[in-house]
Amino acid sequence: MTALPHPTARELRGDIRHWRRGRAQARLRDVLEDAYVALFATLMLSAILVNVIRTIGQISDTLCTSPGCLGARALLPYLVTTAALALVLSGARLFGPVFVPPAVGSWLLSSPVDRRSLLRPRLVGTLLVALVASALVSATGSVLGGLDPLPLVALDATTAVLATATVALATVDQTRRGRTTRVAAGVIALALWAGLLITALGLVRVTSPTSSVPSWWWIALAAAVAITAVAIQRAMRALARLRQRQITPGGALVPSLSGALAGLDLALVNDVLLAHRWRSRGSVRSRRGGSTGPGALMWPELTRMLRSPQQILTVCAVVVAPYAAATAGAGRGVIVIGGLAGFFAALPTLTGLRVLERTPGIRRNLPFTNSQIRRAALVVPTALMWLYGLAIAPAVHEAVGEPVSQTLLLGVAVGFASLTAAVRWMTGRPPDYSKPLVSTPAGGVPTNLYGSVVRGMDVLLLTLAPMLLSPSDAAAWVSILLSFAILAYLVSRD
């Protein structure tokens, strides 16, 4: 008896497509209505966004006249380009960049088909997403930076080519457990931080603007295109070497993120990403305990800092953001930028508090009250944010022009406000469907669902408002008292 030939990847995908279409329940009219709404909303929101970006760029042309502001604006397109590459590489590290859903991983990858032909469409889709997304982000930075059309096109094309090459090389490195990709992500993040440091020090000197692009740029772009083509070819060949365990975790992460985003719970998104990270790591080295009593809860925070030193490095790195804003002439906006930078830097330091909040069973097994547990978990993050506030005090002094003694207090108040907002974000309760719901066209919605989107930002704005209205000693004390009152409530509530 002759053996039947193995099916191809195209035939298997066709069978799955036929099976899905045979069980589709949506009517053609419903599909067209949804497509119309999606297209109309995309066009309307895109037009609004483009108009806002153009308006901000035109306002900057008029108001940005100081040397520091001109230097920061000249460097802005390149900082945004670096940030776009960092985002593309971070996404590639998070999802794969080649990934498949769990069903495809269990049904198709285990079948005797050519894995390269099965994964090629997914790699092409990832490359296109990276190309378009990086080009849009780079174009935004170029418009805000005031580039002329020809330099804008050159920088935009370079960013798109580099992003595509980054994804292709990350695919090759995916077969080697992504070690090189981690190093590249660190190098790009360091380059972005160096750009902010140069802006903060005011080292950029703006000469007369030019609308031309040097010839060496086009030569370098052509070389980058050639390198990208070679990288894509190598990535296509590397698809056959990808193993199932290397491409299924990213596909399993997508539905988890979709569920968290459907509930508008950004803290749950953070939980999903942390679980994905530590699941991929597998195990950690245990350490002997430290103090007793409530101090025993402080010891895991110190241990976590040693296991993840990037948390401390992040707090130290974001200090440069307020100084860059002060050099650019942001004025009282330095307080807002310092608060936002501190807020995002404080979130990773509150992982222990988040674990205790989301697992009441752990709290019940501890011989302490809820307030004692939360206070112990906040000792290390509070110390870090207090040091952060002292570190950004000179930037506040340069921006508002108050005496150094007052700006030290303002800096501490900004750090304390950032910590309070981060605690509010971490301790927020999930949507409660057992309470009365609000009737909407999408169905019943819990009353606290939409508020979860701005959770943390509301507290940050409230605590920073006194200093924005009047950056003085009295305003700093009012901000500190507000932060202390909100933090006391968050710590003591059941």
Side-chain angles (χ1 to χ4, degrees), residues 205-217:
R205 293 293 180 265
V206 180
T207 58
S208 58
T210 177
S211 59
S212 62
V213 179
S215 56
W216 61 264
W217 187 289

Side-chain angles (χ1 to χ4, degrees), residues 145-157:
L147 289 185
D148 290 329
L150 187 59
L152 187 150
V153 171
L155 183 60
D156 208 23

Side-chain angles (χ1 to χ4, degrees), residues 15-60:
D15 291 340
I16 294 176
R17 192 180 302 112
H18 174 74
W19 184 87
R20 287 175 175 173
R21 289 177 178 175
R23 287 156 179 80
Q25 298 178 353
R27 297 178 301 177
L28 179 61
R29 178 180 177 181
D30 297 335
V31 175
L32 293 177
E33 287 178 354
D34 294 341
Y36 170 76
V37 171
L39 181 61
F40 180 77
T42 301
L43 293 176
M44 183 181 66
L45 295 177
S46 300
I48 294 173
L49 183 61
V50 170
N51 187 32
V52 169
I53 293 173
R54 287 187 57 192
T55 302
I56 294 176
Q58 293 172 358
I59 294 175
S60 300

Side-chain angles (χ1 to χ4, degrees), residues 211-476:
S211 59
S212 62
V213 179
S215 56
W216 61 264
W217 187 289
W218 300 112
I219 296 175
L221 180 59
V225 170
I227 294 174
T228 302
V230 174
I232 292 176
Q233 185 179 8
R234 289 192 59 189
M236 293 296 179
R237 291 200 300 263
L239 292 177
R241 301 194 302 270
L242 286 174
R243 299 183 179 181
Q244 185 174 355
R245 67 172 183 269
Q246 293 173 334
I247 55 181
T248 52
L253 178 63
V254 173
S256 301
L257 290 177
S258 300
L261 291 173
L264 301 180
D265 192 351
L266 300 181
L268 185 57
V269 173
N270 181 64
D271 297 342
V272 171
L273 295 178
L274 283 177
H276 176 75
R277 175 195 172 194
W278 290 108
R279 192 182 298 114
S280 62
R281 186 165 180 174
S283 61
V284 295
R285 182 180 299 175
S286 60
R287 296 180 183 271
R288 186 179 297 275
S291 178
T292 59
L297 297 176
M298 305 176 196
W299 183 255
E301 300 300 324
L302 295 173
T303 304
R304 193 174 291 108
M305 295 293 176
L306 295 176
R307 286 175 179 164
S308 303
Q310 62 266 26
Q311 297 179 3
I312 302 177
L313 293 177
T314 301
V315 176
C316 297
V318 298
V319 171
V320 74
Y323 287 92
T327 303
R332 297 183 184 181
V334 173
I335 297 176
V336 178
I337 294 175
L340 287 173
F343 169 75
F344 289 112
L347 291 178
T349 66
L350 296 172
T351 306
L353 178 65
R354 181 65 176 174
V355 171
L356 294 171
E357 284 295 317
R358 293 304 296 261
T359 50
I362 296 180
R363 298 203 306 267
R364 295 192 189 101
N365 290 327
L366 297 175
F368 311 111
T369 63
N370 289 337
S371 60
Q372 288 177 325
I373 293 173
R374 294 185 182 116
R375 284 199 300 267
L378 285 175
V379 170
V380 176
T382 302
L384 283 176
M385 298 313 297
W386 180 72
L387 294 175
Y388 168 80
L390 292 178
I392 67 172
V396 179
H397 168 70
E398 184 179 351
V400 302
E402 297 292 334
V404 178
S405 60
Q406 291 186 10
T407 52
L408 285 176
L409 192 59
L410 289 171
V412 172
V414 171
F416 202 22
S418 302
L419 175 67
T420 306
V423 172
R424 158 72 173 145
W425 194 82
M426 281 292 189
T427 58
R429 297 172 180 174
D432 189 359
Y433 287 87
S434 63
K435 294 182 178 179
L437 306 179
V438 179
S439 178
T440 66
V445 175
T447 54
N448 63 338
L449 179 63
Y450 297 119
S452 62
V453 179
V454 296
R455 182 187 299 151
M457 294 293 105
D458 50 357
V459 172
L460 185 65
L461 180 61
L462 177 63
T463 52
L464 293 181
M467 293 182 288
L468 292 175
L469 296 175
S470 175
S472 60
D473 250 350

